[in-house]
Amino acid sequence: MMFETSMIAPALPEIVLACSVMGLMMVGVFSPEKQALSRVSFLAVLVLLVIGVLVIATGSETRLALHDLFVVDSFSLFMKVLVIIAAVLALVMSDGYIRRESMARFEYPVLLCFATLGMLMMISAHDLISLYIGLELQSLSLYVVAAFRRDQLRSTEAGLKYFVLGALSSGLLLYGSSLIYGFAGTTNFAAIASGLAALDHAPTGLIVGLVFLSAGLAFKISAVPFHMWTPDVYEGAPTPVTAFFAVAPKIAAMALILRVMLGPFEDLIAEWQQIIWLISVASMILGAVAAIAQTNIKRLMAYSSIGHVGYALMGLAAGTKDGATGVMLYMAIYLVMNVGTFACILSMKIKDRMVENISDLSGLSKTRPGMAFALMIFMFSMAGIPPLAGFFGKFFVFRAAIDAGLIWLAVIGALASVVSAFYYLRIIKVMYFDENDDVIDKIDGKSMRVIMILTSALVLLFTLAPETIASYAASAATSLF
């Protein structure tokens, strides 16, 4: 019995979450229709907070579970906490919106919890099989929430596009996994790593499999050229769903690609570094240039997220511990900036009508100075203006790339960052210098105000202790090597 317990103990948070989500479905089904959503939403937040405590209590010691399909270490602890924070904030921000916009169905928080479960499994995947199961559990839930507003054409179209292209990426990933299994003889990460270490050179078929696997993972982080779904899904999906899309799945997918590339395929860095270098450059350039012409703030945030993925991939391209540390720190800062920005977007209403156009922000500094100030902080931070948190995120990945000899990658990243500053500064210009007769409504609820204040304070005050947080990320990154 002790042996069996030790086999599943590291996966206890995921097991508890899976059982809890099934319990939430029962609560929703047997609750009165008018009370089902509020009950399930409250319990979902509570469950995720408990799971966060369980994840921390599991510890940072490296342990394997479920016949080596699942791994827990300091890296997984760091990234899981980020995902849980993102999921909790997304649920809290969604509450008012889904009641106003005819989305008051209890399935919404249940699906977000299922997606979170898939993300936690992705982060702890130690085998190509568990990698795929976690990825699909997350994706299947997100396909549904993207099209959650069934009465709206844009939402239905977003869900369909994400489903079709997601199925294609899953096929690429499965094909790559089958090639890797065929040439390595195993799907276990540790066994693949030891097998490659014993060879003078890797089989060509295995490298081809790695390319397909990389393509499938690149889709999940919306890196170029697998980004085509991102602007349409971000614009068409309900805004709280877009907020969730922008943070939690990207953190989980970035954690997965870090674990895969720096784990079983660390010895093939010369091969995969070229792929990561290319998609990093393409993502930074497209994110900087394509967003300039956008008038819808959600589409602008979609291209912005593509650019930020490119910056984060610079750390992975370095292939070093400092690079992994930079990626982890970047994703933590990215979480705070995006949550704060989407809290502002979710609060943009004129006469109780949700607005998404950048022009609707005209004169915001005069009518809603607090919101304008918070959004200005987030835009400056995303542009990488010191001494805000976004500057330090870019600083750590740029430094890792330069230390690894990837000078041109850092130069292109710096140029892309300068270009992208244009559309962030344009939003600030619209808020502070343009005139508009329409007035943005007051912010509904205390929770949205608290999120704005908290995230803007974190972005502002990060400069007080950047090295402390970076040292924690560095110790967590050690478990990858």
Side-chain angles (χ1 to χ4, degrees), residues 358-359 361-366 426-436:
I358 295 172
S359 58
L361 292 170
S362 301
L364 186 65
S365 63
K366 298 178 180 64
R426 184 183 65 180
I427 293 176
I428 298 171
K429 175 257 181 188
V430 169
M431 291 192 299
Y432 280 87
F433 297 102
D434 290 4
E435 298 292 338
N436 193 352

Side-chain angles (χ1 to χ4, degrees), residues 32-296:
E33 187 175 351
K34 292 183 179 179
Q35 299 176 13
L37 176 63
S38 57
R39 286 183 183 178
V40 175
S41 295
F42 174 76
L43 290 173
V45 171
L46 190 63
V47 164
L48 288 174
L49 292 174
V50 170
I51 297 305
V53 173
L54 283 176
V55 166
I56 295 170
T58 303
S60 58
E61 181 185 354
T62 302
R63 289 184 292 165
L64 296 172
L66 307 176
H67 298 285
D68 294 354
L69 291 171
F70 194 92
V71 63
V72 169
D73 51 24
S74 55
F75 172 74
S76 68
L77 171 63
F78 186 95
M79 301 305 277
K80 283 180 181 180
V81 168
L82 293 184
V83 166
I84 292 169
I85 291 172
V88 169
L89 291 175
L91 278 171
V92 172
M93 290 194 300
S94 302
D95 187 60
Y97 182 95
I98 59 180
R99 294 178 193 280
R100 288 194 310 268
E101 304 294 323
S102 304
M103 291 173 54
R105 296 188 291 276
F106 74 87
E107 292 90 344
Y108 178 79
V110 171
L111 287 167
L112 255 60
C113 287
F114 266 127
T116 305
L117 174 60
M119 293 173 209
L120 299 185
M121 292 174 64
M122 287 165 58
I123 293 170
S124 284
H126 196 246
D127 191 285
L128 292 174
I129 303 299
S130 54
L131 177 156
Y132 182 72
I133 291 172
L135 204 60
E136 286 307 296
L137 179 58
Q138 171 212 266
S139 298
L140 289 171
S141 303
L142 295 182
Y143 296 152
V144 180
V145 293
F148 206 73
R149 290 198 66 180
R150 292 172 294 182
D151 58 337
Q152 192 179 73
L153 181 62
R154 286 198 313 170
S155 181
T156 306
E157 181 186 356
L160 187 59
K161 282 182 178 178
Y162 188 47
F163 171 71
V164 172
L165 294 172
L168 174 63
S169 74
S170 294
L172 293 173
L173 189 141
L174 274 178
Y175 183 61
S177 299
S178 65
L179 283 174
I180 292 168
Y181 173 67
F183 284 91
T186 180
T187 56
N188 183 267
F189 287 175
I192 293 172
S194 59
L196 288 174
L199 296 174
D200 292 332
H201 62 278
T204 304
L206 190 143
I207 295 173
V208 173
L210 179 58
V211 172
F212 277 99
L213 182 68
S214 302
L217 294 175
F219 176 90
K220 301 303 178 184
I221 57 174
S222 65
V224 177
F226 309 100
H227 67 285
M228 66 290 292
W229 61 273
T230 313
D232 293 331
V233 172
Y234 272 47
E235 182 182 11
T239 305
V241 174
T242 305
F244 186 68
F245 266 99
V247 285
K250 276 189 169 51
I251 293 169
M254 192 62 75
L256 181 58
I257 199 169
L258 277 172
R259 190 178 290 284
V260 170
M261 295 305 181
L262 299 177
F265 301 108
E266 183 183 4
D267 289 335
L268 297 182
I269 185 171
E271 284 78 11
W272 60 254
Q273 189 180 54
Q274 302 171 53
I275 303 171
I276 302 300
W277 194 97
L278 181 62
I279 63 176
S280 174
V281 167
S283 299
M284 289 188 292
I285 292 174
L286 183 91
V289 175
I292 292 174
Q294 303 306 316
T295 57
N296 183 288

Side-chain angles (χ1 to χ4, degrees), residues 1-11 64-68 70:
M1 179 62 69
M2 288 183 64
F3 174 76
E4 292 178 359
T5 303
S6 66
M7 286 293 292
I8 65 170
L64 296 172
L66 307 176
H67 298 285
D68 294 354
F70 194 92

